[in-house]
Amino acid sequence: MRIGILPANGLGKRFKNIYDFKPLAPIKKDNIEDVMFIHSINNIGVNFDIIFVICHNKNVNFFNKFIGKSKFPIRVIPLSKETNGPLHTILSINKKLEKFNDYEALIFNCDQVLKWKGDKIIANLKPKGAEGIIPTITRLSNRHSYAEISKNERHRIIRVREKEVLSDRATIGLYWFKNMKIFLDAANKCFEANDVAPNKEFYVSHVYNYLKGKVYEVPIKKFWSLGEEENYKIYLKGGIQTD
């Protein structure tokens, strides 16, 4: 059983060039038209039993209007104030998530699409002792977040940092955890340590540094960050994102 978590509590102020409210930006591909967050959910490459969309209460009606177009059941959870980053957003509903301690947890953004055989890959890595899995792309610019890879075990991640170039393996904002309890235990340690990114916000990627078990990368090539204007246009034209 798998829970999806989409932390969308920001009001989209950084993305006005794309659309007034980023998650509602229109996406039309293969003769199917959806808003961005639904298109992302339906093209994320994995299956869910339910998805929690965590958003500012000002935006609840926006999200509820479109959730019927998702392939998976969605529950919209409102927050009364903006939070200090995606991880802070998720921990704001800590008590609700604890009810799903035995479920796999997969956290992702509202503005990304990737091509990978997610369900099959996760199933293959779980017997290897994976507590965490992160799809990665090849990059080197400091606009991305990065994973440091073990020299002794192929694709094993030993450290993750936001906006710090540790290797050429950049994370993409999709994070799988073996179960919700493992995630929440590590997430609370991360938060208590005040382990923030350079912009002083809390990110999910840093949670992996507090897991006791193994974390693996999954190198992918086809990924699009739709919340960035140029990449949004590339995706709509059928191109491949390279930055």
Side-chain angles (χ1 to χ4, degrees):
M1 304 287 279
R2 182 181 297 149
I3 296 285
I5 305 174
L6 198 165
N9 196 43
L11 299 178
K13 296 176 183 177
R14 304 174 195 171
F15 301 89
K16 291 296 183 181
N17 290 338
I18 296 175
Y19 207 67
D20 284 343
F21 182 51
K22 179 184 65 168
L24 300 188
I27 305 286
K28 186 173 183 179
K29 292 285 287 185
D30 303 323
N31 296 316
I32 299 173
E33 185 167 357
D34 282 314
V35 294
M36 186 182 290
F37 88 97
I38 292 294
H39 187 81
S40 180
I41 287 170
N42 290 343
N43 292 277
I44 209 72
V46 294
N47 290 302
F48 300 95
D49 292 284
I50 188 170
I51 295 172
F52 292 142
V53 173
I54 313 168
C55 69
H56 196 282
N57 56 18
K58 294 179 180 178
N59 298 325
V60 169
N61 289 338
F62 287 139
F63 282 103
N64 278 329
K65 183 178 179 181
F66 296 100
I67 60 175
K69 299 193 73 176
S70 167
K71 293 179 181 178
F72 314 104
I74 293 178
R75 180 181 172 188
V76 178
I77 302 176
L79 297 180
S80 59
K81 59 182 180 181
E82 290 195 69
T83 50
N84 190 26
L87 181 60
H88 189 197
T89 296
I90 296 168
L91 289 178
S92 296
I93 65 163
N94 193 354
K95 295 301 181 183
K96 291 184 174 66
L97 296 176
E98 286 176 352
K99 299 176 182 178
F100 301 91
N101 271 345
D102 294 331
Y103 282 57
E104 293 179 17
L106 196 148
I107 300 161
F108 60 101
N109 297 329
C110 69
D111 61 351
Q112 61 189 28
V113 169
L114 63 153
K115 301 293 185 182
W116 70 316
K117 296 180 180 179
D119 290 329
K120 182 178 180 179
I121 291 169
I122 291 169
N124 288 339
L125 286 174
K126 285 165 68 175
K128 295 183 179 182
E131 286 192 358
I133 297 170
I134 311 175
T136 62
I137 52 178
T138 304
R139 297 291 189 273
L140 283 172
S141 73
N142 59 11
R143 65 185 290 272
H144 294 282
S145 304
Y146 290 88
E148 182 178 353
I149 308 301
S150 170
K151 295 179 181 179
N152 301 316
E153 185 175 352
R154 193 179 183 205
H155 299 309
R156 183 173 176 182
I157 293 173
I158 58 176
R159 187 163 64 111
V160 187
R161 298 303 300 175
E162 287 287 330
K163 309 301 183 284
E164 295 180 30
V165 182
L166 304 176
S167 70
D168 67 348
R169 307 314 307 159
T171 68
I172 65 160
L174 187 149
Y175 305 109
W176 176 90
F177 294 87
K178 180 180 178 180
N179 60 51
M180 190 71 72
K181 183 177 184 346
I182 284 174
F183 164 69
L184 289 175
D185 286 347
N188 282 310
K189 290 177 183 177
C190 179
F191 194 77
E192 290 165 4
N194 196 37
D195 191 349
V196 294
N199 66 357
K200 307 303 180 184
E201 293 186 350
F202 291 94
Y203 285 86
V204 175
S205 62
H206 286 189
V207 173
Y208 287 99
N209 300 321
Y210 297 84
L211 293 183
K212 295 179 180 179
K214 295 181 179 181
V215 179
Y216 290 101
E217 66 158 346
V218 179
I220 62 172
K221 294 182 178 180
K222 294 184 178 181
F223 164 78
W224 297 266
S225 50
L226 306 180
E228 299 163 341
E229 184 175 15
E230 185 60 32
N231 292 321
Y232 173 78
K233 292 177 180 177
I234 288 171
Y235 180 69
L236 293 182
K237 293 177 181 178
I240 299 296
Q241 179 173 326
T242 58
D243 71 341

